[in-house]
Amino acid sequence: MSDHSPVETLVEMRHIEKSYGRVHALRDVNLTIRKGEIVGLLGDNGAGKSTLIKVLSGAVPYSSGEIRIKGRPVAMTSTNDAIAAGIETIYQDSALVPQLSIARNLFLGRELTTGRLGRLDLDRMNEVAAELLKRVGISKNIPPTTPIGSLSGGERQAVAIARAMYFDSDLIILDEPTNNLGVAETQGVLRFVREARDTGHSCIFIAHNIHHVFQVVDRMVVMRRGTVVADDLSPKTSSIQDVEDVITGDHIHV
Amino acid sequence: MSDPSSLSAAHPPEQGVLRRLVAKPEFGPLVLLVAMILVFTVINPTFLSLNNIGNALTFTVELGLIALAMTLLMTAGEFDLSVGSVFGFAPVVMWAFFNAGLMPLPAAFVVAMLIALAIGLFSGLFVTRLGIPSFLVTLGMLLVVRGTALWLTSGFPQRTWDAGEQWLAELLVGDFYVGGLRVYMSLIWFVILAVIFHQFLTRTRFGNWIQATGGNPGAARNRGVPIQRVKVILFMLSAAMAALAGIISSIRVSAANPNSGTGYELEVIAMVVIGGTVLTGGRGTIIGTVIGVLILRLMRNGIVLIGVPGLAYNIFIGAIILGMMALHAALERRHNAGT
Ligand SMILES: Nc1ncnc2c1ncn2[C@@H]1O[C@H](COP(=O)(O)OP(=O)(O)O)[C@@H](O)[C@H]1O
Ligand SMILES: [Mg+2]
């Protein structure tokens, strides 16, 4: 890991510890993300995947450790720290506001305004949103003023990913983006993830379904009971069975 | 998903003007308002007289001012039960300071407003920092504020009859005639503030944050929206509007009674939800609230004119709330079924 120069390394998490009261959710976790790679983060329920990415996106405080983005230490004490560092996290159920329009969701927290009173530039927001929808291929007949609540699950993921791409985040984190999606919609999400990489974004991709992960990632990191137990599995050299054994810990006894 | 056209199938390009109008949360309340006016006017034509409308509108605004702020607070997912007690408390403070000769009326007004803001700040911090539901926090605040008003005054109303020559009193509740219609300044304030609040909620960055805070707090926080600050500011706004309404009322009726405003919190919340704002947050409408304010006001006025005992008023209000909630729920279900 250490032989990568800091220019290639986007994220470096070192010796991260996190406890929720008595629950030791992360133990001495080290994770490196390079520029332009898609990393699959795997592990059984409760392994600590969500906690790890919440730490990385400033959503929960960590107990100790160090986080560097492009070589620079970042305190990561709030989601704003992560946004400023170019990290965009798409949580399964808390990515978008169902009552707000597509355009308002795309620009939430970074609204386009005119003048000093914080007046929204809705025309421009809708224009850009329509453009963006066209680019990700869900433009037809969906006006940018449509509330998110009336979109399908796949369309919502597409909007969330489009947002991350529009704001040119260096790292896009997806926590279980394919849960509850149909086959076609899942393929759509995977296509967006590849598109994001092809345009230079790094991705952390968490999914229950190993087949989804295998289709899209460059490298796999496996967590078990709060620690990283493997961080350089490749879908080219490992089989699904191999990876499943690492996830459950069966490979130790083999 | 790989085929763009398959995604769009569920979204016909134009839903039709009528369907979109019906889908608006303000539609139900608007129909009810028009129906009410028609029925009352047919039974008793004086209902539509200038005199009656003027009267009804005057008393409208005091609760209406609070309802405007409550709409924003409820859109952000919280509500405030202490507005009625602040309504009673703020004028008591203002007149007590003024009558004691401690300061001129405008200064006493500013002090009363600052105290109201502090009450709102306190409620807001309690709700956001300690994570206690606003129902409990503002219930506690209701009792503390009302108790303080009663204790400070020993339960006696404060003298307000020096108000006549005060420019501040003129500005807040003065009146003038437009044709035959007597218009009070307080109505002008209500209209101006309703327009501002509407613009604020629908057209500004902060308004966007209010809706996001109530709609999906997690998503808002993840986008860097300061949801706690949004809520605290709205609690302060709600208390300030309650104080302003109480002060206007005290000047109009020439009495600052420490007991006034009792029960107003429920009437205000009724106005807001009848107008289509959702109690659980995320969706709010100032236009709906203005309609809701008018519905409750004209109902109170109308049932008396058509000879129903005034004491039966609450039956109608309760029935309207239940009917409106059923309607909104039905529309919501149909809307969800359609996607
Ligand atoms: N907010 C929380 N409070 C207490 N314990 C938590 C909290 N969130 C997660 N945990 C615990 O931390 C551990 C890791 O959880 P999580 O990161 O959600 O795992 P994963 O996403 O891999 O399923 C689990 O034991 C879980 O019960
Ligand atoms: Mg998880």
Side-chain angles (χ1 to χ4, degrees):
Chain A
M1 271 299 109
S2 49
D3 56 1
H4 290 285
S5 72
V7 189
E8 285 189 295
T9 305
L10 183 60
V11 173
E12 247 186 310
M13 301 179 81
R14 293 245 158 262
H15 310 299
I16 302 291
E17 301 272 343
K18 164 74 190 170
S19 300
Y20 293 107
R22 290 232 178 113
V23 181
H24 205 159
L26 299 176
R27 308 162 192 263
D28 193 22
V29 169
N30 296 292
L31 180 72
T32 305
I33 309 289
R34 293 162 212 137
K35 279 193 183 154
E37 71 171 347
I38 305 181
V39 174
L41 186 53
L42 296 162
D44 220 337
N45 260 338
K49 309 179 295 291
S50 292
T51 304
L52 181 62
I53 60 133
K54 278 180 190 160
V55 165
L56 182 53
S57 47
V60 301
Y62 49 106
S63 316
S64 65
E66 194 194 13
I67 300 175
R68 288 172 172 270
I69 311 291
K70 296 182 194 162
R72 272 190 321 124
V74 176
M76 219 54 95
T77 50
S78 76
T79 50
N80 280 320
D81 281 356
I83 292 170
I87 298 173
E88 185 84 16
T89 309
I90 302 170
Y91 297 99
Q92 203 198 346
D93 50 357
S94 55
L96 303 165
V97 181
Q99 293 89 346
L100 290 180
S101 73
I102 295 176
R104 281 172 181 260
N105 265 285
L106 280 170
F107 289 98
L108 182 56
R110 278 170 286 190
E111 291 84 356
L112 304 179
T113 56
T114 57
R116 277 166 301 161
L117 292 171
R119 196 177 166 77
L120 293 176
D121 190 346
L122 284 173
D123 287 342
R124 209 151 55 87
M125 282 166 59
N126 286 329
E127 230 167 78
V128 175
E131 193 63 35
L132 213 53
L133 289 177
K134 209 181 292 170
R135 234 169 58 194
V136 298
I138 60 167
S139 67
K140 263 200 196 155
N141 299 331
I142 305 184
T145 49
T146 313
I148 288 291
S150 57
L151 300 185
S152 72
E155 288 167 342
R156 291 181 204 196
Q157 291 294 349
V159 169
I161 295 172
R163 178 171 67 190
M165 285 163 69
Y166 174 73
F167 287 106
D168 234 353
S169 324
D170 294 315
L171 176 65
I172 304 174
I173 304 174
L174 300 113
D175 194 355
E176 317 236 6
T178 55
N179 275 15
N180 307 322
L181 294 192
V183 176
E185 291 198 321
T186 298
Q187 289 309 319
V189 169
L190 297 181
R191 180 166 63 83
F192 292 131
V193 173
R194 283 189 209 104
E195 214 168 289
R197 175 195 40 203
D198 294 345
T199 49
H201 308 268
S202 305
C203 269
I204 297 178
F205 185 89
I206 302 177
H208 252 94
N209 189 319
I210 298 193
H211 298 271
H212 296 168
V213 175
F214 259 70
Q215 282 182 52
V216 75
V217 304
D218 302 310
R219 179 163 70 92
M220 285 171 285
V221 175
V222 177
M223 292 185 73
R224 193 168 352 117
R225 288 203 238 126
T227 55
V228 171
V229 292
D231 75 348
D232 216 0
L233 298 172
S234 157
K236 295 198 182 81
T237 55
S238 306
S239 71
I240 288 184
Q241 187 59 50
D242 293 341
V243 176
E244 270 174 352
D245 287 347
V246 178
I247 290 172
T248 55
D250 285 350
H251 67 302
I252 294 169
H253 311 290
V254 176
Chain B
M1 177 135 295
S2 47
D3 172 17
S5 63
S6 71
L7 277 170
S8 353
H11 304 273
E14 272 307 316
Q15 295 216 322
V17 179
L18 189 66
R19 243 195 90 182
R20 261 186 318 190
L21 188 69
V22 173
K24 286 206 180 296
E26 297 92 352
F27 182 74
L30 184 63
V31 169
L32 177 67
L33 179 64
V34 172
M36 251 175 60
I37 293 175
L38 285 179
V39 170
F40 284 147
T41 309
V42 166
I43 299 179
N44 185 344
T46 50
F47 181 76
L48 258 192
S49 70
L50 280 184
N51 200 3
N52 188 49
I53 299 256
N55 269 336
L57 290 183
T58 305
F59 306 121
T60 299
V61 295
E62 287 150 17
L63 284 179
L65 289 173
I66 311 176
L68 294 178
M70 188 75 85
T71 303
L72 301 191
L73 185 60
M74 282 171 56
T75 306
E78 305 289 347
F79 59 89
D80 186 351
L81 293 179
S82 69
V83 288
S85 63
V86 173
F87 180 98
F89 179 64
V92 161
V93 168
M94 182 176 90
W95 290 109
F97 276 122
F98 176 66
N99 291 339
L102 287 173
M103 53 184 73
L105 193 63
F109 173 77
V110 170
V111 169
M113 292 301 285
L114 287 177
I115 291 176
L117 287 171
I119 292 171
L121 175 66
F122 195 82
S123 297
L125 290 177
F126 237 79
V127 169
T128 56
R129 295 295 142 94
L130 301 183
I132 302 171
S134 52
F135 179 86
L136 299 175
V137 170
T138 60
L139 178 65
M141 191 54 86
L142 182 167
L143 296 171
V144 169
V145 171
R146 179 71 70 197
T148 308
L150 288 169
W151 173 66
L152 284 178
T153 60
S154 308
F156 291 110
Q158 300 297 293
R159 185 160 55 90
T160 66
W161 55 77
D162 299 334
E165 309 90 56
Q166 294 284 345
W167 61 264
L168 184 69
E170 259 331 286
L171 186 67
L172 291 177
V173 291
D175 58 4
F176 55 90
Y177 280 87
V178 180
L181 186 64
R182 187 178 184 188
V183 179
Y184 285 86
M185 276 306 288
S186 48
L187 180 62
I188 304 293
W189 287 119
F190 176 69
V191 171
I192 292 174
L193 285 171
V195 171
I196 291 176
F197 272 55
H198 174 70
Q199 292 288 319
F200 185 59
L201 180 60
T202 59
R203 291 275 184 281
T204 68
R205 173 202 297 259
F206 195 83
N208 210 38
W209 291 0
I210 292 173
Q211 296 174 60
T213 297
N216 189 344
R221 196 176 335 98
N222 291 337
R223 308 299 304 160
V225 173
I227 61 173
Q228 303 206 339
R229 206 187 318 153
V230 168
K231 288 183 178 183
V232 170
I233 288 172
L234 293 181
F235 272 109
M236 293 172 72
L237 185 66
S238 144
M241 292 298 270
L244 180 65
I247 288 169
I248 288 177
S249 171
S250 77
I251 298 173
R252 181 174 58 77
V253 304
S254 305
N257 187 332
N259 260 320
S260 71
T262 303
Y264 279 15
E265 56 279 347
L266 296 182
E267 187 148 351
V268 166
I269 291 174
M271 290 169 167
V272 177
V273 296
I274 286 174
T277 294
V278 183
L279 191 62
T280 46
R283 204 161 4 201
T285 153
I286 292 290
I287 296 173
T289 294
V290 170
I291 298 173
V293 168
L294 291 174
I295 288 177
L296 261 68
R297 218 54 246 191
L298 294 179
M299 178 63 82
R300 197 186 273 283
N301 176 275
I303 58 173
V304 175
L305 278 185
I306 66 171
V308 176
L311 292 173
Y313 169 68
N314 279 341
I315 301 175
F316 287 85
I317 300 308
I320 291 177
I321 294 177
L322 294 174
M324 275 299 158
M325 293 308 104
L327 178 70
H328 288 313
L331 286 177
E332 186 80 1
R333 238 193 330 271
R334 225 185 59 181
H335 180 75
N336 289 342
T339 56

